[in-house]
Amino acid sequence: MIRKSTRMLRSYFHLFFGPAFRLTSRFPEAFEICKEFRIGREKMLQIANALTKEIQLGLARETHPQAIVKCFLTYIQDLPTGKERGKFMALDLGGTNFRCLLVNLADGAVMQTTLKSFAISEELMQGPGTDLFDFIAECLAGFCKEQNIGNDRIPLGFTFSFPLQQIGINKGILRRWTKGFRCEGVEGKDVVELLQSAIDRRGDANVKIVAILNDSTSTLVSCAYSHPDCRIGLIVGTGVNACYVEQTSKAEMLDGYESSQKPIMIINTELGAFGDNGSLDSVRTVYDKTLDIESVNPGSQTLEKCVSGMYLGEVVRHILLDLMRMGVLFRGMRPDEMQTKWIFRTRFISEIESDPPEVFHNARVVLYHLGIKTDDLNDMACLRYICDSISLRSAQLTSCAIVAMINQMNVESCTVAIDGGLCRYHPHYRNLIEQQLSILLKNASAYKIVLSEDGSGLGAALVAAAFANK
């Protein structure tokens, strides 16, 4: 059931409109800027309906080539049954770190999970694709050695969280890099083949990649293991994406979709690109447009740039810089640190919003890190208001995406699995989604929001289990 967030909303009201700080009169410029990030209910419904139409364009064979929201097939037409058993591996690549997992399934339960994370340097993110996959294969081999994996060939599910066009359960073509990656020689190629070749060249890891999927699909599958009514998987982290369970009869890009014996197909929407055709222009601000121009992929991933953790901190930085140039915030201080692009991490937003009302311990620490030394409570309250405004718009657009998929499925109830850094670590993000869904849906309590437990890892292992012998 959608959880009430009355206490949180009361805290927000007290902070922003209570007599303690009178922010409206002290910082009218900040309030005018933040007003541009507010989205009313009618506009949110328009966005949700527009996204539903884009999903339909992506599903249809005739319009798919030009569709912005691609709605790729995942070739996953079965959800977990609880009968999966054995040892399976998962590899999760979706940002500046990747993880190797070994999962032991038995008696309808996860008996044991072992994982290890590895950092990816900026050099690898920007260099040749062969270097990236060789590095992953090297780390995977080391992990297998540490876990004393014997001679039996271990099935592996590969979570690859970038725009991917699957042409089979174990074949996936990278459409384009996102999240700051620009490795040459990978776009347009089968990433399963690239990674399997790197593994085989080494010859010291007896691993076979049997399935590829993205993190939203992994999240859905993982949650469905314990919540059979799970129908949507949503990631809001470094990037944003979602998948949902569609009727196979509507998945026109599947050969033989009309006569398929399987009634469902998980669809990978790749909805981070929603708005690339201008459909989000009415809610984009000058700060969004500046960020887009300065990004590595200008003109693309419009929704992602308004929602995801990779970008929200940078939006806040640009707003702060404007207010500091006006001389209305932090007494006109303009430290060199604040001139550095991307220095304001999205985790700073989570930390600032984690402080109780009228307490600014985390805000003070963040500002000190950015070269701003202040004890002015009004300044710090204004900073929190800006962060809250950016977080709220992100949650509103995320809620629009959920409603769009609910509309497309035409279901009266389901579980929505969520994961990603923003969903997991932001103190209010899940509450904000639930609050916005209660505004948009008449029967919001029928849609349960569940934070997936290690969805991108467990889900990939479950899919590996399902396809190990196929």
Side-chain angles (χ1 to χ4, degrees):
M1 180 178 292
I2 298 294
R3 295 184 290 118
K4 300 296 184 181
S5 52
T6 305
R7 183 182 302 172
M8 178 190 70
L9 295 177
R10 277 202 299 261
S11 297
Y12 282 178
F13 184 87
H14 177 74
L15 174 63
F16 304 142
F17 303 105
F21 298 114
R22 304 187 184 280
L23 294 181
T24 306
S25 58
R26 173 73 193 274
F27 298 104
E29 299 88 352
F31 269 73
E32 286 302 311
I33 290 172
C34 290
K35 277 170 58 177
E36 300 178 28
F37 290 89
R38 299 174 192 164
I39 310 176
R41 180 177 183 273
E42 292 306 312
K43 175 59 68 175
M44 290 174 66
L45 289 173
Q46 291 174 16
I47 291 171
N49 291 335
L51 179 51
T52 301
K53 292 178 182 177
E54 293 287 352
I55 288 172
Q56 293 167 355
L57 293 174
L59 290 172
R61 187 177 292 268
E62 182 178 351
T63 53
H64 177 85
Q66 294 80 36
I68 296 297
V69 179
K70 283 300 185 183
C71 292
F72 292 127
L73 305 176
T74 65
Y75 293 88
I76 299 173
Q77 295 186 266
D78 297 291
L79 295 176
T81 64
K83 297 179 181 179
E84 296 81 8
R85 59 177 52 246
K87 290 185 178 181
F88 305 93
M89 293 192 69
L91 193 151
D92 177 17
L93 172 63
T96 54
N97 295 278
F98 75 92
R99 303 182 306 151
C100 295
L101 297 92
L102 179 64
V103 179
N104 187 7
L105 303 172
D107 301 323
V110 179
M111 305 304 293
Q112 183 180 8
T113 300
T114 306
L115 66 86
K116 186 172 183 179
S117 296
F118 302 88
I120 300 176
S121 68
E122 185 173 352
E123 182 180 5
L124 285 171
M125 292 171 64
Q126 308 291 327
T130 52
D131 290 354
L132 174 65
F133 287 108
D134 283 345
F135 174 70
I136 295 172
E138 177 185 354
C139 296
L140 180 63
F143 179 75
C144 289
K145 183 177 180 180
E146 290 174 5
Q147 300 306 312
N148 297 315
I149 294 174
N151 295 324
D152 292 339
R153 199 150 170 86
I154 301 291
L156 181 143
F158 183 16
T159 298
F160 184 78
S161 304
F162 300 91
L164 189 76
Q165 181 178 8
Q166 286 188 239
I167 53 177
I169 188 61
N170 62 348
K171 295 181 184 298
I173 308 300
L174 174 64
R175 294 298 297 262
R176 64 182 179 278
W177 283 116
T178 56
K179 308 176 190 177
F181 280 74
R182 287 191 291 188
C183 300
E184 296 179 359
V186 184
E187 291 183 349
K189 301 290 182 63
D190 179 4
V191 294
V192 173
E193 181 179 349
L194 293 175
L195 179 56
Q196 189 69 62
S197 295
I199 294 171
D200 294 344
R201 279 198 301 272
R202 294 184 57 86
D204 55 355
N206 196 11
V207 172
K208 180 182 180 182
I209 306 171
V210 299
I212 185 168
L213 58 166
N214 69 18
D215 50 358
S216 64
T217 306
S218 296
T219 295
L220 191 161
V221 172
S222 173
C223 187
Y225 194 60
S226 53
H227 296 81
D229 69 335
C230 186
R231 293 295 178 269
I232 293 175
L234 173 71
I235 299 292
V236 187
T238 304
V240 62
N241 194 23
C243 67
Y244 73 99
V245 176
E246 182 59 273
Q247 299 174 41
T248 305
S249 60
K250 295 181 181 179
E252 295 184 11
M253 294 304 293
L254 177 67
D255 292 337
Y257 71 95
E258 294 173 304
S259 58
S260 174
Q261 299 300 306
K262 300 283 188 178
I264 65 167
M265 169 73 77
I266 297 180
I267 297 295
N268 166 27
T269 64
E270 291 298 339
L271 54 69
F274 177 58
D276 288 1
N277 57 357
S279 53
L280 282 178
D281 283 358
S282 62
V283 297
R284 293 177 71 219
T285 69
V286 63
Y287 300 100
D288 299 303
K289 294 170 184 176
T290 298
L291 180 148
D292 179 51
I293 292 170
E294 295 178 351
S295 70
V296 298
N297 55 345
S300 65
Q301 297 298 106
T302 301
L303 177 66
E304 183 169 274
K305 289 171 181 172
C306 294
V307 168
S308 77
M310 183 168 183
Y311 302 100
L312 298 189
E314 183 67 358
V315 174
V316 171
R317 186 183 75 89
H318 278 290
I319 295 173
L320 294 179
L321 280 177
D322 265 4
L323 294 172
M324 292 164 74
R325 290 187 192 107
M326 296 175 194
V328 299
L329 188 63
F330 307 132
R331 299 175 183 172
M333 286 187 288
R334 296 174 63 179
D336 292 341
E337 290 90 337
M338 284 294 291
Q339 309 302 319
T340 304
K341 295 178 181 178
W342 311 105
I343 195 172
F344 198 104
R345 308 288 187 182
T346 297
R347 67 177 175 85
F348 294 164
I349 296 177
S350 296
E351 292 168 5
I352 289 167
E353 294 191 54
S354 293
D355 277 330
E358 301 186 34
V359 174
F360 301 102
H361 171 75
N362 291 335
R364 189 177 285 106
V365 171
V366 168
L367 290 173
Y368 185 84
H369 174 79
L370 298 171
I372 299 172
K373 300 178 182 179
T374 180
D375 289 316
D376 191 314
L377 298 183
N378 288 331
D379 279 353
M380 287 184 282
C382 183
L383 169 64
R384 187 187 299 180
Y385 176 69
I386 294 167
C387 291
D388 284 332
S389 298
I390 303 307
S391 296
L392 176 59
R393 188 188 66 166
S394 171
Q396 287 182 314
L397 291 173
T398 296
S399 301
C400 291
I402 293 172
V403 171
M405 290 179 284
I406 289 172
N407 290 343
Q408 175 61 22
M409 291 187 294
N410 193 27
V411 293
E412 296 183 355
S413 65
C414 72
T415 292
V416 178
I418 62 174
D419 205 350
L422 211 54
C423 292
R424 187 168 292 277
Y425 302 117
H426 190 289
H428 310 303
Y429 201 80
R430 177 176 168 181
N431 284 341
L432 289 172
I433 292 174
E434 292 173 341
Q435 171 208 339
Q436 296 303 310
L437 289 179
S438 69
I439 293 171
L440 297 173
L441 296 170
K442 293 181 180 179
N443 59 335
S445 61
Y447 301 95
K448 182 168 58 177
I449 308 296
V450 173
L451 183 63
S452 179
E453 294 299 326
D454 193 25
S456 57
L458 177 58
L462 287 168
V463 173
F467 288 90
N469 299 315
K470 295 183 180 180

